[in-house]
């Protein structure tokens, strides 16, 4: 079955370190998204991509970057992790319709 | 993107019908209304989507009045397993126009179902 997977599921890092969260989908969807979820804020869009080589900033993109070198993957990079980036991160993909979400990656920045 | 407003929380008992209303006064002509459900430690999952009037599937019904400024998600005969956060989203081009979608999730409604 097609699916969307995130890794790692849990990560603890230190302030200032670079962190990359992986997202891989096997539906061949063009559209991929990264959200972060924090108490009191729901899910907020970080970055999104409509296809290979396309990336766009969402509402909370500062401190994050993404790249789309193929259809299946949209890795999220925190160039210099900050404590404010402690959160649960969800990747999603769609083919112009329903969003399919991964299981989430819980990141703690100490 | 149209802003949505929905209750922060709701309580219910097993076997009851639950109706969650979402306000979206600034909905645009091309916008669809979509509801997602999220269980703890999981990503949200699609429940239902509609444009106007009524939509029903095996999980829920979605009622949308003619002015489309609000919508109501109806869950018939809820069970304990329906305890989750429910998100109302309004977005353009979710199905018809293509080009991807930029859905905005609010804080959702925490539904708690008890025995």
């Amino acid at each position: 079955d097609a699916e969307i997977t995130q890794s790692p599921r849990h990560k603890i890092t230190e302030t200032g370190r670079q962190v990359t969260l992986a997202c891989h989908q096997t539906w061949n969807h063009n559209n991929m998204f990264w959200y972060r979820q924090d108490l009191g804020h729901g899910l907020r869009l970080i970055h999104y991509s409509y296809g290979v080589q396309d990336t766009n900033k969402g509402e909370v993109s500062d401190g994050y970057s993404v790249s789309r070198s193929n259809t299946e993957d949209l890795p999220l990079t925190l160039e210099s992790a900050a404590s404010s980036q402690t959160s649960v991160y969800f990747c999603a993909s769609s083919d112009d319709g329903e969003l399919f979400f991964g299981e989430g990656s819980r990141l703690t920045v100490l | 993107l149209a802003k949505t407003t929905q209750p922060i929380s709701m309580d219910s008992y097993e076997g009851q019908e639950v109706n969650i209303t979402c306000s979206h006064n600034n909905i645009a002509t091309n916008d669809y209304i979509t509801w997602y459900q999220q269980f703890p430690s999981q990503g949200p999952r699609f429940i239902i989507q509609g444009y106007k009037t009524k939509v029903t599937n095996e999980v829920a019904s979605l009622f949308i009045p003619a002015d489309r400024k609000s919508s109501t998600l109806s869950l018939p005969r809820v069970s304990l397993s329906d305890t989750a956060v429910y998100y109302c989203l309004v977005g353009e081009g979710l199905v018809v126009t293509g080009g991807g979608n930029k859905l905005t999730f609010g804080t959702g409604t925490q539904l708690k179902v008890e025995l």
Side-chain angles (χ1 to χ4, degrees), chain B residues 2-5 22-27 33 35 64-65 67-72 88-90:
Chain B
K3 178 179 170 60
T4 60
T5 302
C22 178
S23 297
H24 27 80
N25 292 319
N26 296 321
I27 189 168
I33 300 154
W35 287 80
I64 305 169
D67 67 6
R68 305 204 321 128
K69 294 183 181 300
S70 67
S71 58
T72 299
C88 166
L89 293 86
V90 173

Side-chain angles (χ1 to χ4, degrees), chain B residues 58-108:
Chain B
E58 66 277 6
V59 177
S61 294
L62 179 59
F63 298 92
I64 305 169
D67 67 6
R68 305 204 321 128
K69 294 183 181 300
S70 67
S71 58
T72 299
L73 175 72
S74 181
L75 304 172
R77 298 179 297 282
V78 295
S79 65
L80 293 176
S81 63
D82 292 315
T83 294
V85 178
Y86 292 82
Y87 296 94
C88 166
L89 293 86
V90 173
E92 177 182 340
L94 296 182
V95 174
V96 176
T97 66
N101 43 40
K102 296 182 291 178
L103 297 179
T104 298
F105 288 75
T107 54

Side-chain angles (χ1 to χ4, degrees), chain A residues 2-105:
Chain A
E3 60 180 4
I4 181 167
T5 55
Q6 296 183 229
S7 62
R9 295 292 311 280
H10 301 272
K11 185 171 181 66
I12 300 175
T13 191
E14 296 178 341
T15 301
R17 289 188 180 268
Q18 183 182 79
V19 175
T20 297
L21 305 179
C23 176
H24 180 79
Q25 53 99 1
T26 59
W27 280 295
N28 203 36
H29 286 164
N30 287 322
N31 311 320
M32 296 186 72
F33 308 81
W34 273 104
Y35 291 86
R36 62 176 288 175
Q37 185 169 39
D38 307 285
L39 280 175
H41 290 281
L43 288 102
R44 292 181 291 177
L45 183 62
I46 305 172
H47 281 287
Y48 58 100
S49 169
Y50 289 155
V52 176
Q53 301 302 327
D54 176 75
T55 61
N56 305 279
K57 295 181 178 180
E59 62 178 304
V60 290
S61 61
D62 287 349
Y64 304 94
S65 64
V66 293
S67 61
R68 189 87 180 272
S69 59
N70 58 52
T71 301
E72 297 79 19
D73 300 289
L74 187 70
L76 177 70
T77 298
L78 288 68
E79 298 294 342
S80 178
S83 57
S84 59
Q85 294 175 309
T86 292
S87 185
V88 179
Y89 292 85
F90 287 100
C91 179
S93 71
S94 77
D95 196 11
D96 301 334
E98 174 185 347
L99 279 169
F100 293 87
F101 282 84
E103 293 295 304
S105 295

